[in-house]
Each structure stands twice: as C-alpha cells, then as structure tokens.
Amino acid sequence: MSEERKDEELEPTESYPIDNKRETIHFPWAIAIIMGVLMVLIIVCFIIIKVLEH
C-alpha cells in the first residue's frame, strides 16, 4: 500500500501551546444538577398526569 502515516510532518516545536490555566476542563456540575432536577420534575409530572387520567 502506498498510504503512509504522516505523523512525521508535525515537528515537536510546532505543536500547539497549551495554556494550563485556560485549557483545563472543569465539568459544569451546576448545569448537570439543574438538568437532573428538571428531568426528575418532568418524570414526576408525567407520572402525576398518568395517575390523574384514570
């Protein structure tokens, strides 16, 4: 096969500089908690509607 991996094209000095203060990933716990609460409320409302239908 003539297809070769081109890993050697990027020199180590050409790598993108990573700023540790800006590039660190913090999980958005507040958004996750709000979404979880909203999902629980939607499920509870759905169950209440199903119970009141009968």
Side-chain angles (χ1 to χ4, degrees), residues 16-46:
Y16 185 77
I18 297 175
D19 187 7
N20 288 331
K21 294 179 182 177
R22 194 185 69 185
E23 295 292 330
T24 51
I25 298 172
H26 297 286
F27 189 79
W29 288 108
I31 296 175
I33 292 171
I34 292 171
M35 294 298 288
V37 170
L38 289 175
M39 287 176 64
V40 170
L41 288 176
I42 290 171
I43 294 171
V44 169
C45 289
F46 183 76

